[in-house]
Amino acid sequence: MGIQEPVGEKSLKASFLGLLALFALTGAVVAAGAYGSYRFFADRMVAGVHDELLGISRMKAERIGEQVADRRGSAFIFATRPAVWRLLSGADAEREMPRVRMAIDKTVTGQGYLRIVVVDAALRIVVSSSSEPLGPEELSAVRQAIATREPVRLELHRNAEGEVEHGFIHPVFANGDEHDVVVGAAYLERNAEARLLPLLEGLPRPSPSMETIMARRDGDEVLFLSHLRFRPEAPPLTFRQPVGTGTLAENALVRNEFGLIEGRDYRGEEVIGAAEPVPGTPWVIVTKVDRAEVERPARVLALIVLALAAVLILLLAVIFQLSWRRRNLELRAERAAEAERFALALRTSIDGYMMVDRTGRLVAGNAALSRMTGYAEEELIHLHVSDLDANETPAEAEAHMVRILAQGSDRFETRFRRKDGMRIDVEISVSITGDYFHAFIHDVSERRAAEKALRESEARFRQMFERNTAVLLLIEPTSGAIVDANAAASLFYGYGVDRLRTMTIDRINTLPPEEIAAERANAVRHERNFFTFPHRLADGETRTVEVRSSPVNVGGRILLFSIVQDVTERKQAEEELARSNAELEQFAYAASHDLRQPLRMISSYLGLLQRKLGDSLDEDGRTYMAFAIDGAKRMDALILGLLDYSRVGRVETVTEIVDLGLAVDEAIKDLELMIEETGTDLPVADDLPSVAGHPLELTRLFLNLIGNAIKYRAKGRPPRVDVGWRDGGAEWVVWVRDNGIGIAPRDHDRAFGIFQRLVGRKEVEGNGIGLAICRKIVEHHGGRIWIESTPGEGSTFLVALPKPKESGT
Ligand code: ADP
């Protein structure tokens, strides 16, 4: 079919872009986090290094200050030595000179002085550790010391060799007393490079950018004492920078900014530092380190974090990309499988399918549609919907189109014209996707036909119900509501059908409602379906009705369908008949009973007469007498037979279960003599059934039937009588079959009449009442008796008796 929609492609792309955005956001957050932590750590590091720098600067300033103070002290000690002031005071030079020289040597070697010069008040060198004369600066400092009587410190300077020197001058007082006259001065010169510079330049830990510098202001310049780490070519005290460059040292010197400071150093580099003045000197000490160095670990950390995050994000992106691609492939495979399934479903569907473009032209159709319409599949795609649509007017088609476009789908019924012109009823569901309509077509012709058949059958049955002349009711078994009634019912009860439909059967049946409800329940359970009820009509008259009720299932609801028959007249007639029958029987019994009295009289007197007249009677007379006596005897026999007959059924109600086998045995016992005399073969079936009845009457029944079977035997063949039985459904059928003379079909009914004999009295003795009694016994037990016979071959007397209820069969 090849119908595939790029469903989900766009949303997939959108979700991909969304995820990318998410990644970017995550990246930004990570970057911000990294920067934040970088700032935090950098600040912490700067704070940490601040303390260190301050410590270093303070320590160095203190130590250098101490050194300066020490030098001053040394100068004082030297200047106040007795040998020195004695020498200068003009004492015995011969004696003092060696002492002074010794003191000079000790001080130079012991305390690391370069040179010690002792001058007198006229600035003449009295004694010196070297031959070198005092330079002009040194001289002026000495002069100043002598003039002011105060110690003078000669600022750090470079000497002719380029070494950094420090000079201390102390005036020498006469008698060593500072209140006495000045007799000269001692000049002690020290090499700063040996002690001061190492102290200055040494650092507590290795660092690529940390250094301590010492500077002082020199006019409009800042003069740097120390070896500069980043100006290694400039010897100490040679590097100068003009004031106004705003270096840390300058700030400290010019603006007295001490303690922790941040700014630029002599290179113009961003640094962090600590400045301290060196006590007693114009120098400042600045220990500083590049900000870059301090912050580097934090930066490295941040970079590592960033790099890790980047790697992580990259990794996630790769994983996502891979899984996305897999999902994409899976999706594509799924979609292909789905399309395949869809195509298969369409191919195998029993519903027709067609795809129609917006102009109404078919672009696809499945096998079912082809079967339905009779067009081959390739023919279908040349069709226009109007070729198929047999029912819709253009207006209707338009209306469907509008609905489909508005709701996206529609469902309606129409008719299709097949290729062969035949019409079929179809139900169509149409939906629209993109530029195509998808229509599923369900053939409902059969359903329509079935519906029509159902409608017709419904109408038929309705008529059968409504127009039936029998009184018909449809009753709800639980409530007894009359759900429906027909016109005959309306006529019978005298209520309109509508009225009947609002009534319950209790309004009509005059029995107690509980009793009626119980009977309805019996009917539902199929336990009883025949009832005799008193029904009251609209005019108040009560009629006896026989009702046949059977449960019917009407749409899942059990109702009782009842046929009501008015049997009032019949019942009355039956009662009448029963009464007259009883009266007749009573009469017959009384008559035959009363008739025997005079008959006995006639018989006795006839006997007396015969004895008295005896031989006096002639031949004719004796014959007449014999006839009279025989007539009386026969009459008695007849009357006895009649009495017997009328006694049947006078016994109480039939309740006992009687084994017919035993009844047959009893009968055979009574007939023993006859059986023996005639040599009758008499097989009796085993397991004769039992019935509810009167044992004596049933014995009598078999006595008569078996007796007759032997009595009416055929000449020339030995008699054979067999007793058998079969299951006749609701009744047992027992028979007595003989091979006797048989009975002509026209006599089959007559044989059961009272005093009816089929053979002459001469041939066989009998009074024609035996079978009448048999029939009465059988009917009294609710059964039937009939004859099957082929004259000349034998007769079968069949007795059908209802099966006893208790036996359950
Ligand atoms: P009866 O035997 O006293 O004549 P029944 O009423 O017993 O009276 O029988 C009526 C008549 O039916 C008999 O007269 C006889 O003709 C005929 N009949 C009865 N039983 C048989 C039989 N087994 N075979 C042939 N005929 C029979």
Side-chain angles (χ1 to χ4, degrees):
M1 305 285 327
I3 304 141
Q4 207 169 330
E5 286 274 320
V7 183
E9 203 80 69
K10 268 181 202 158
S11 69
L12 214 76
K13 213 168 268 176
S15 67
F16 181 63
L17 285 177
L19 273 157
L20 269 187
L22 195 70
F23 274 127
L25 195 72
T26 314
V29 168
V30 167
Y35 180 73
S37 62
Y38 158 68
R39 272 306 352 140
F40 175 77
F41 283 116
D43 288 350
R44 294 292 292 268
M45 277 159 173
V46 167
V49 91
H50 263 153
D51 290 346
E52 186 187 12
L53 294 173
L54 202 59
I56 295 171
S57 286
R58 273 193 187 142
M59 185 269 284
K60 291 196 176 179
E62 225 165 78
R63 296 279 297 279
I64 289 170
E66 273 168 17
Q67 272 192 22
V68 172
D70 279 358
R71 297 294 85 81
R72 277 207 187 97
S74 298
F76 167 74
I77 287 168
F78 186 83
T80 51
R81 279 179 179 272
V84 175
W85 57 261
R86 269 193 216 123
L87 184 68
L88 289 181
S89 302
D92 185 0
E94 290 293 315
R95 210 172 57 128
E96 301 301 336
M97 187 59 84
R99 286 187 188 166
V100 171
R101 281 198 188 282
M102 221 164 77
I104 287 171
D105 284 348
K106 226 168 96 189
T107 308
V108 167
T109 52
Q111 296 187 28
Y113 281 93
L114 269 183
R115 168 162 85 123
I116 297 177
V117 181
V118 180
V119 293
D120 62 12
L123 300 179
R124 280 188 304 262
I125 293 174
V126 177
V127 58
S128 172
S129 61
S130 79
S131 54
E132 198 183 321
L134 289 171
E137 274 174 27
E138 292 156 350
L139 268 180
S140 84
V142 170
R143 196 175 291 126
Q144 186 192 341
I146 291 171
T148 58
R149 303 172 57 95
E150 289 288 331
V152 170
R153 191 176 61 85
L154 185 62
E155 198 48 90
L156 285 157
H157 59 274
R158 290 169 63 81
N159 65 12
E161 282 81 44
E163 287 171 330
V164 179
E165 288 175 357
H166 209 178
F168 294 89
I169 301 113
H170 204 282
V172 180
F173 301 103
N175 299 315
D177 180 358
E178 60 178 303
H179 301 295
D180 217 327
V181 291
V182 177
V183 286
Y187 170 75
L188 288 86
E189 186 185 86
R190 200 176 163 86
N191 186 345
E193 294 191 25
R195 293 280 185 105
L196 196 136
L197 286 183
L199 173 65
L200 192 61
E201 284 159 15
L203 285 172
R205 65 174 172 90
S207 155
S209 72
M210 195 188 280
E211 71 176 320
T212 306
I213 54 161
M214 198 158 111
R216 72 170 171 92
R217 189 163 174 183
D218 189 15
D220 281 346
E221 287 176 328
V222 173
L223 175 65
F224 291 82
L225 165 74
S226 43
H227 278 110
L228 295 175
R229 190 166 185 171
F230 300 102
R231 294 286 184 274
E233 71 285 353
L237 283 176
T238 55
F239 188 70
R240 293 163 183 275
Q241 278 186 328
V243 170
T245 45
T247 60
L248 291 187
E250 180 192 318
N251 287 346
L253 288 167
V254 178
R255 299 200 223 140
N256 288 326
E257 284 181 8
F258 295 112
L260 294 173
I261 43 176
E262 290 182 16
R264 299 189 179 278
D265 69 354
Y266 55 90
R267 295 169 294 162
E269 209 58 44
E270 273 274 352
V271 292
I272 301 154
E276 280 294 316
V278 180
T281 70
W283 295 94
V284 290
I285 283 185
V286 175
T287 308
K288 54 137 183 112
V289 65
D290 287 3
R291 179 182 281 279
E293 183 195 327
V294 177
E295 292 183 351
R296 183 170 301 125
R299 196 170 297 158
V300 167
L301 193 76
L303 276 175
I304 288 171
V305 167
L306 260 181
L308 277 179
V311 165
L312 204 73
I313 287 173
L314 213 70
L315 210 72
L316 280 177
V318 166
I319 288 170
F320 169 73
Q321 158 78 7
L322 284 178
S323 67
W324 183 80
R325 251 174 57 189
R326 225 185 68 190
R327 178 80 197 110
N328 210 4
L329 285 176
E330 273 173 10
L331 217 70
R332 219 161 271 181
E334 250 168 51
R335 222 176 278 147
E338 201 176 296
E340 220 166 87
R341 272 200 301 278
F342 184 63
L344 183 72
L346 285 182
R347 260 204 309 284
T348 55
S349 166
I350 53 158
D351 278 347
Y353 166 80
M354 62 186 183
M355 189 164 138
V356 177
D357 68 14
R358 293 225 177 208
T359 68
R361 199 149 292 283
L362 269 70
V363 291
N366 70 348
L369 185 69
S370 159
R371 274 198 303 280
M372 222 177 264
T373 59
Y375 289 101
E377 274 186 73
E378 20 335 320
E379 283 177 310
L380 281 175
I381 54 171
H382 299 297
L383 294 179
H384 190 270
V385 275
S386 59
D387 296 325
L388 289 174
D389 206 331
N391 222 13
E392 291 197 349
T393 63
E396 271 177 311
E398 184 67 31
H400 285 310
M401 192 70 107
V402 166
R403 250 207 313 277
I404 296 163
L405 290 174
Q407 310 170 350
S409 67
D410 192 17
R411 193 191 185 97
F412 55 90
E413 279 192 23
T414 184
R415 308 190 79 198
F416 264 15
R417 184 173 36 238
R418 288 169 50 92
K419 192 182 180 186
D420 58 16
M422 221 178 90
R423 312 281 155 120
I424 51 172
D425 292 312
V426 292
E427 193 181 80
I428 301 190
S429 343
V430 190
S431 57
I432 181 166
T433 54
D435 278 339
Y436 294 99
F437 296 97
H438 302 274
F440 287 90
I441 301 116
H442 186 60
D443 186 348
V444 292
S445 301
E446 267 176 39
R447 200 207 296 164
R448 292 282 163 277
E451 280 168 4
K452 191 168 166 241
L454 191 70
R455 270 200 303 278
E456 281 172 8
S457 118
E458 213 275 334
R460 207 158 49 233
F461 281 102
R462 180 128 288 275
Q463 284 185 24
M464 275 163 69
F465 180 77
E466 281 171 357
R467 302 208 187 147
N468 206 312
T469 50
V471 173
L472 303 177
L473 296 175
L474 209 55
I475 295 166
E476 206 288 310
T478 324
S479 64
I482 298 173
V483 178
D484 209 350
N486 67 354
S490 166
L491 198 71
F492 173 62
Y493 290 113
Y495 298 108
V497 170
D498 289 340
R499 180 76 209 289
L500 280 171
R501 286 193 189 121
T502 65
M503 292 164 68
T504 62
I505 196 68
D506 300 344
R507 285 281 306 277
I508 285 172
N509 195 331
T510 60
L511 289 181
E514 315 82 61
E515 211 171 295
I516 314 170
E519 295 291 31
R520 283 198 302 272
N522 284 335
V524 168
R525 289 195 300 263
H526 288 280
E527 273 171 19
R528 280 188 70 183
N529 61 7
F530 181 76
F531 309 91
T532 305
F533 285 136
H535 274 192
R536 199 186 7 246
L537 311 184
D539 60 13
E541 191 192 342
T542 301
R543 309 286 291 178
T544 304
V545 294
E546 280 178 359
V547 181
R548 279 179 176 74
S549 268
S550 39
V552 287
N553 188 329
V554 183
R557 184 173 164 216
I558 301 294
L559 295 176
L560 284 178
F561 176 66
S562 299
I563 305 167
V564 180
Q565 195 180 356
D566 183 359
V567 293
T568 313
E569 272 81 30
R570 199 186 78 206
K571 282 279 183 223
Q572 278 169 0
E574 276 171 10
E575 274 165 26
E576 203 66 35
L577 192 71
R579 201 167 47 248
S580 85
N581 271 348
E583 263 169 23
L584 262 177
E585 263 175 34
Q586 184 62 35
F587 168 76
Y589 181 75
S592 39
H593 191 266
D594 291 355
L595 277 174
R596 283 194 75 194
Q597 190 60 27
L599 187 63
R600 260 203 300 277
M601 235 161 98
I602 293 169
S603 303
S604 347
Y605 282 102
L606 275 174
L608 282 175
L609 261 181
Q610 196 183 31
R611 234 175 291 144
K612 191 123 189 183
L613 296 176
D615 303 330
S616 61
L617 283 176
D618 60 4
E619 186 67 30
D620 284 349
R622 279 203 294 274
T623 307
Y624 299 154
M625 187 60 94
F627 275 145
I629 289 171
D630 186 44
K633 267 189 195 156
R634 275 190 55 218
M635 189 147 186
D636 192 43
L638 286 174
I639 290 170
L640 272 178
L642 260 184
L643 267 174
D644 266 358
Y645 180 81
S646 56
R647 266 197 210 105
V648 171
R650 291 174 77 87
V651 289
E652 292 309 303
T653 35
V654 192
T655 45
E656 215 174 309
I657 297 294
V658 182
D659 180 350
L660 293 180
L662 288 180
V664 171
D665 284 351
E666 281 299 309
I668 289 172
K669 236 179 259 166
D670 283 357
L671 293 167
E672 217 160 12
L673 197 69
M674 189 182 183
I675 294 164
E676 246 168 57
E677 274 174 6
T678 54
T680 304
D681 181 17
L682 212 164
V684 178
D686 289 337
D687 309 328
L688 278 169
S690 295
V691 295
H694 194 273
L696 284 179
E697 285 187 354
L698 291 168
T699 303
R700 179 72 184 273
L701 171 70
F702 287 108
L703 189 71
N704 286 1
L705 292 178
I706 297 170
N708 277 356
I710 301 172
K711 207 158 72 178
Y712 298 104
R713 61 189 174 273
K715 282 189 184 98
R717 59 175 178 256
R720 181 194 153 93
V721 180
D722 65 306
V723 182
W725 65 281
R726 66 174 148 88
D727 191 339
E731 50 194 17
W732 298 120
V733 179
V734 183
W735 65 78
V736 176
R737 180 178 294 136
D738 62 49
N739 59 350
I741 56 173
I743 304 165
R746 65 167 190 281
D747 293 331
H748 284 185
D749 271 346
R750 210 157 65 86
F752 292 104
I754 292 180
F755 303 140
Q756 294 293 335
R757 306 211 61 215
L758 309 178
V759 293
R761 198 162 59 88
K762 296 262 167 50
E763 290 163 53
V764 187
E765 273 295 323
N767 55 18
I769 209 145
L771 286 182
I773 288 175
C774 284
R775 183 164 73 181
K776 203 170 174 202
I777 290 171
V778 169
E779 282 175 356
H780 183 223
H781 282 80
R784 301 172 289 132
I785 183 164
W786 70 99
I787 300 170
E788 287 169 4
S789 169
T790 315
E793 281 180 21
S795 323
T796 306
F797 282 77
L798 298 109
V799 177
L801 291 170
K803 290 179 178 177
K805 284 236 167 71
E806 290 83 339
S807 79
T809 45

